[in-house]
């Protein structure tokens, strides 16, 4: 990425876990970087594939980190799922949801009724409240041919704790093995969210930067949407992963702070020229 492209960025889409923080630990560079975006009048959207929390939950989590964000600035795959149901399955009113109470509440707020007795579709998210009974019930409805939708493809959720957080993609792999059916997968890397943000904020694709830590979600989505793809090495992907990527990335930085410094330098050079 050259200085002109860095200096021309007018909206930044930020992944959360692995990019701004990890688990409950905020990265030291996060708040100074966000302050720079405000100083430069650069728009900011927070985008996560984690559907275990609602938008209201994320507003609270970010506020606890000292980050002020509105619900309108936060996108999760629940937004993509609601949009898909309304556009592609307009007659759907009742859904079975493998998800947390927060996710179920978000669907209820969007006028869908969570019903395990007579659902019209099965939605699978990052269900940290998963029970064997509901897993089997979901498999039953999927086996009966109901639409099978995954909010996102992530196999695990990053954590600093001594455990593996089994995520939506892994839960769906179990259901696929049991039913022989694969889900329609929404969320990152589907490019529709980035394309919608470009349209909503009237930003050309190459003036919007998608910043994240995963190649197969964050960076894949950016490449599909034609936006800038900026990989940070504070989460899942390593420098070796970045070097081996089949899709060329626009920029690879150690952390969000390095991105801020490169943007500041580019803005000084372009302004001086």
């Amino acid at each position: 990425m050259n200085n002109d492209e860095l200096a021309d960025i007018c909206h930044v889409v930020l992944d959360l876990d692995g990019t701004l923080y990890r688990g409950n630990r905020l990265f030291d560079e996060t708040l100074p970087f966000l302050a720079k975006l405000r100083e430069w009048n650069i728009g900011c959207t927070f985008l996560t594939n984690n559907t275990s929390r609602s938008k209201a939950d994320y507003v609270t989590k970010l506020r606890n980190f000292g980050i002020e964000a509105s619900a309108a600035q936060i996108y999760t795959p629940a937004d993509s799922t609601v949009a898909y149901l309304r556009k592609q399955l307009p007659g759907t009113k009742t859904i079975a949801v493998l998800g947390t109470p927060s996710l179920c509440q978000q669907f209820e707020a969007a006028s869908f009724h969570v019903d395990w007795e007579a659902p019209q579709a099965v939605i699978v998210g990052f269900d940290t409240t998963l029970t064997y009974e509901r897993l089997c019930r979901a498999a039953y409805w999927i086996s009966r041919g109901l639409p099978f939708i995954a909010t996102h493809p992530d196999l695990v959720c990053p954590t600093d704790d001594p455990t593996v957080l089994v995520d939506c993609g892994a839960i769906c792999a179990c259901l696929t093995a049991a039913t022989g059916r694969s889900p329609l997968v929404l969320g990152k890397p589907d490019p529709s969210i980035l394309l919608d943000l470009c349209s909503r904020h009237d930003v050309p694709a190459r003036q919007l930067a998608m910043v994240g830590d995963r190649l197969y979600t964050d960076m894949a989505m950016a490449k599909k949407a034609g936006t800038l793809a900026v990989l940070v090495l504070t989460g899942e992907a390593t420098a070796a992963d970045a070097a081996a990527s089949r899709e060329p990335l626009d920029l690879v930085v150690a952390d969000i702070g390095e991105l801020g410094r490169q943007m500041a330098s580019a803005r000084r050079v372009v302004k001086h020229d």
Side-chain angles (χ1 to χ4, degrees):
M1 188 189 306
N2 59 42
N3 282 329
D4 286 340
E5 287 180 310
L6 270 172
D8 283 345
I9 292 172
C10 53
H11 198 94
V12 175
V13 180
L14 296 165
D15 172 58
L16 294 178
D17 209 334
T19 300
L20 301 185
Y21 56 78
R22 189 171 182 89
N24 292 314
R25 178 173 61 88
L26 185 70
F27 296 140
D28 292 340
E29 300 280 9
T30 296
L31 294 181
F33 175 77
L34 294 176
K36 281 294 184 183
L37 293 185
R38 291 192 296 272
E39 177 185 329
W40 296 329
N41 199 30
I42 292 175
C44 177
T45 298
F46 301 100
L47 174 58
T48 177
N49 255 8
N50 187 335
T51 53
S52 68
R53 300 173 186 266
S54 68
K55 287 190 177 188
D57 292 334
Y58 277 112
V59 168
T60 300
K61 183 178 177 71
L62 292 174
R63 183 175 295 127
N64 289 338
F65 279 138
I67 301 170
E68 289 299 324
S70 67
Q73 286 180 279
I74 297 169
Y75 273 66
T76 81
D79 298 300
S80 301
T81 307
V82 167
Y84 179 85
L85 290 171
R86 287 174 173 167
K87 184 175 182 180
Q88 302 298 332
L89 300 171
T92 301
K93 302 299 180 185
T94 60
I95 54 177
V97 181
L98 277 186
T100 59
S102 288
L103 181 61
C104 292
Q105 289 164 12
Q106 192 164 341
F107 283 118
E108 294 275 4
S111 299
F112 295 96
H113 179 53
V114 178
D115 178 13
W116 283 94
E117 297 305 315
Q120 296 168 286
V122 178
I123 312 298
V124 182
F126 177 24
D127 190 359
T128 57
T129 61
L130 183 67
T131 66
Y132 184 70
E133 179 183 1
R134 284 193 295 118
L135 180 68
C136 293
R137 194 68 173 158
Y140 170 75
W141 286 119
I142 292 166
S143 72
R144 294 292 298 270
L146 266 61
F148 174 19
I149 301 169
T151 60
H152 59 291
D154 300 45
L155 298 172
V156 298
C157 181
T159 180
D160 284 333
D161 296 330
T163 187
V164 173
L165 298 179
V166 176
D167 208 331
C168 179
I171 296 171
C172 286
C174 172
L175 291 168
T176 294
T179 66
R181 294 186 61 209
S182 297
L184 169 73
V185 182
L186 301 174
K188 297 183 283 187
D190 180 73
S192 59
I193 294 177
L194 290 186
L195 295 173
D196 177 64
L197 287 171
C198 287
S199 175
R200 180 173 300 191
H201 297 288
D202 194 25
V203 176
R206 294 299 291 178
Q207 291 182 22
L208 183 145
M210 175 65 224
V211 185
D213 68 298
R214 291 189 174 190
L215 291 170
Y216 65 92
T217 55
D218 303 310
M219 298 302 99
M221 177 176 61
K223 300 304 290 187
K224 289 178 181 179
T227 65
L228 298 173
V230 180
L231 181 72
V232 293
L233 302 179
T234 45
E236 180 179 290
T238 64
D241 293 330
S245 174
R246 283 180 286 184
E247 287 282 354
L249 304 176
D250 292 292
L251 186 64
V252 179
V253 292
D255 54 35
I256 205 79
E258 183 182 339
L259 172 60
R261 289 188 290 275
Q262 290 201 27
M263 289 174 67
S265 177
R267 292 170 69 88
R268 286 195 297 269
V269 169
V270 170
K271 185 176 180 179
H272 179 75
D273 289 346

